[in-house]
Amino acid sequence: MSEEKIKELPGVGPATAEKLMDSGYKDLMAIAVESPRVLSDLADIGESTAGKIVQAAKDAADIGGFETGSELLEKRKDVGMLSTGADSFDDLLGGGIETGSITEFFGEFGSGKTQIAHQILVNAIRPEEDGGLGAEAMIIDTENSFRPGRISEIAEARDLDPEETLDDIHVGRAFNTHHQMLLADEALDLGKDKPIRLLVVDSLTSHFRAEYVGRGALAERQQTLNKHLHKLLNFADRNNAAIVVTNQVTANPDQFFGDATKPIGGHILGHTATFRVYLRKSKGDKRIARLVDSPNMPEGEAVFRVEESGITE
Ligand code: ATP
Ligand code: MG
């Protein structure tokens, strides 16, 4: 139905309509509020054509206007909360990891990013009353750090069937940025058939960092990353899914504007991730999570542990 409406836009032929749909634009509204440059990038069409399409979508779509706070509150009821496995960590995030948004975990090596990824993949498939999302989960693994054996270990520690758990976790191994972007497209496709409510990208930035080296490559890197993040947001929107991305911190201020405690990815990622959490190592298996950016929660810290059983209090 919405596809039909996209096809009816002046200047949009069947081929362009398909490109738009494939890029995640599912209705007129999504196009109407897009910037022509991003639309041109994502759907691979000329910028002036994109400008005309956006204008036409604006004319055709009911842009609506303002909603009351009560109406918005009603909509917020659809937001799912995914537990991290530790109560204090969940409290820090205002109840857990939200669906519909991107949550970023950044920190140095060994700070627990990949362990959290494994834990939430298991948690997501649990029923809502157990802190899960009652659905399937997906990970784009860029560093070859996903371990099915670790999933089994965490599942068993929570009295879940390891094989059933692994059956509900979809893993895509990305070999480079281009492949990573393609897997995001695949994810959108798979999300049409399967109830997937968690998409993890671990790590979001490692291939970008390796492939786009130096100042000269910065603009292109940010543009590509922006495109990728848009796809992920589309996935969140369509599937009411939580998007969780991990990110390293950079020690080289020349290369990726930032200091040792700044995540790489620059402003693009900073503005697109709704929740940003800085992880650091403490004594032994203790880790400290610091909420550095959230629309509704104060900055604060929580302590959790990385144990054989997974993430714990
Ligand atoms: P990187 O930036 O290198 O990807 P990371 O933040 O992803 O690092 P993790 O792999 O999540 O780091 O954390 C690794 C740490 O998790 C190990 O140093 C170890 O302390 C702990 N860990 C990993 N597996 C287990 C396990 N089976 N039992 C207990 N602790 C574990
Ligand atoms: Mg890791």
Side-chain angles (χ1 to χ4, degrees), residues 69-134:
S70 322
E71 282 162 345
L72 285 175
L73 192 63
E74 191 56 36
K75 281 192 186 162
R76 286 280 304 170
K77 289 192 178 136
D78 295 336
V79 174
M81 288 285 186
L82 170 61
S83 173
T84 59
D87 289 341
S88 56
F89 201 163
D90 290 346
D91 290 345
L92 179 75
L93 300 172
I97 297 167
E98 284 192 7
T99 63
S101 302
I102 297 182
T103 299
E104 176 197 354
F105 292 104
F106 67 97
E108 67 175 31
F109 70 94
S111 57
K113 303 181 292 292
T114 298
Q115 293 305 309
I116 292 174
H118 281 77
Q119 179 70 60
I120 58 178
L121 285 167
V122 173
N123 290 355
I125 59 192
R126 306 188 73 185
E128 290 185 15
E129 55 271 26
D130 294 331
L133 298 170

Side-chain angles (χ1 to χ4, degrees), residues 97-257:
I97 297 167
E98 284 192 7
T99 63
S101 302
I102 297 182
T103 299
E104 176 197 354
F105 292 104
F106 67 97
E108 67 175 31
F109 70 94
S111 57
K113 303 181 292 292
T114 298
Q115 293 305 309
I116 292 174
H118 281 77
Q119 179 70 60
I120 58 178
L121 285 167
V122 173
N123 290 355
I125 59 192
R126 306 188 73 185
E128 290 185 15
E129 55 271 26
D130 294 331
L133 298 170
E136 298 182 19
M138 183 179 258
I139 178 167
I140 298 177
D141 176 17
T142 72
E143 298 181 322
N144 196 19
S145 55
F146 176 82
R147 293 289 176 275
R150 187 70 181 118
I151 295 290
S152 306
E153 208 168 50
I154 293 171
E156 270 170 8
R158 277 157 186 74
D159 290 325
L160 302 170
D161 183 286
E163 277 171 30
E164 279 175 26
T165 305
L166 283 166
D167 278 344
D168 285 342
I169 297 176
H170 307 270
V171 185
R173 170 88 210 283
F175 294 99
N176 53 48
T177 52
H178 183 69
H179 191 202
Q180 188 173 335
M181 313 266 294
L182 289 178
L183 286 173
D185 289 332
E186 281 288 313
L188 277 164
D189 272 349
L190 199 61
K192 287 177 196 157
D193 303 326
K194 294 193 181 292
I196 297 168
R197 294 192 68 199
L198 170 66
L199 171 56
V200 177
V201 187
D202 181 25
S203 114
L204 175 75
T205 43
S206 57
H207 284 318
F208 285 90
R209 179 184 223 176
E211 284 169 39
Y212 296 89
V213 179
R215 283 267 158 200
L218 205 56
E220 198 189 340
R221 188 194 76 188
Q222 291 307 86
Q223 200 180 12
T224 315
L225 188 58
N226 190 26
K227 202 165 161 176
H228 189 45
L229 287 166
H230 258 80
K231 289 252 163 85
L232 299 178
L233 272 177
N234 258 315
F235 186 92
D237 239 30
R238 282 195 187 187
N239 300 286
N240 190 13
I243 307 293
V244 171
V245 303
T246 70
N247 192 1
Q248 293 116 333
V249 288
T250 169
N252 181 352
D254 287 341
Q255 210 176 357
F256 288 109
F257 41 79

